[in-house]
Amino acid sequence: MNDCVFCRIVAGEAPATKVFEDELLCAFLDIRPIARGHTLIVPKRHATELEDLDADLGALVFRAGHRIALAMRRSSLAADGANLVLNDGRAAFQTVPHIHLHVIPRRHGDKLSFAKGFLLRRPHDPQGTAAAIRTGLATLTRQDDAEDVGTEKGTQA
């Protein structure tokens, strides 16, 4: 899909500040973020709406959203929570015709700044923000590895 901006980002033909990528998914900062850290997760295989999305791939999109939301909590972004939002179709305010999950970090008491973010939608240090999220993801990986080692030791006893 050469006319799809998200497909071009996935192919490396359009600029984006990526925070995560594997063989099936790509996650990058929204260029008009509601809050610092606002990340989009897209399947690399084009799907315009939920109707076009394989359910297993959709589950992976949400699993990645869960992980990135946790990474935002464990990074210098210090999120207290997150909104995970998927707008399905024009009627639901989907503006780019490629399925994407918004992961928007939230903080206690941020209602006014969150509302302001909807109006202004301005970038916040994209390189530093992406680095913070990648650091949070690395922290999660280290925690997962430590839990796996603990589980292995527990089963060997």
Side-chain angles (χ1 to χ4, degrees), residues 36-78:
R36 181 175 183 233
H38 182 167
T39 300
L40 303 177
I41 303 168
V42 303
K44 287 186 171 182
R45 186 175 352 135
H46 185 86
T48 301
E49 297 179 352
L50 280 177
E51 188 171 329
D52 308 318
L53 182 66
D54 173 77
D56 291 334
L57 185 55
L60 291 175
V61 169
F62 273 90
R63 182 174 288 157
H66 173 254
R67 192 151 183 88
I68 288 174
L70 291 175
M72 290 172 176
R73 287 174 177 250
R74 287 165 177 76
S75 73
S76 60
L77 294 178

Side-chain angles (χ1 to χ4, degrees), residues 16-157:
T17 307
K18 293 181 181 178
V19 299
F20 169 80
E21 185 169 19
D22 66 14
E23 56 281 344
L24 298 173
L25 305 175
C26 184
F28 49 90
L29 296 180
D30 192 308
I31 61 168
R32 296 181 50 235
I34 292 171
R36 181 175 183 233
H38 182 167
T39 300
L40 303 177
I41 303 168
V42 303
K44 287 186 171 182
R45 186 175 352 135
H46 185 86
T48 301
E49 297 179 352
L50 280 177
E51 188 171 329
D52 308 318
L53 182 66
D54 173 77
D56 291 334
L57 185 55
L60 291 175
V61 169
F62 273 90
R63 182 174 288 157
H66 173 254
R67 192 151 183 88
I68 288 174
L70 291 175
M72 290 172 176
R73 287 174 177 250
R74 287 165 177 76
S75 73
S76 60
L77 294 178
D80 297 314
N83 287 110
L84 276 65
V85 179
L86 191 147
N87 302 325
D88 178 34
R90 284 183 176 258
F93 306 110
Q94 181 181 0
T95 57
V96 177
H98 185 127
I99 284 291
H100 54 287
L101 178 67
H102 296 259
V103 182
I104 307 166
R106 298 296 304 270
R107 285 166 200 78
H108 293 294
D110 74 350
K111 286 183 179 86
L112 287 177
S113 64
F114 191 76
K116 181 180 172 186
F118 267 110
L119 297 173
L120 296 180
R121 309 277 312 250
R122 301 229 164 100
H124 308 271
D125 178 25
Q127 296 306 321
T129 300
I133 296 169
R134 286 191 292 268
T135 298
L137 287 168
T139 299
L140 286 171
T141 299
R142 286 191 300 276
Q143 288 174 346
D144 291 346
D145 291 346
E147 288 174 10
D148 289 344
V149 169
T151 302
E152 288 174 13
K153 287 182 181 179
T155 57
Q156 293 175 356

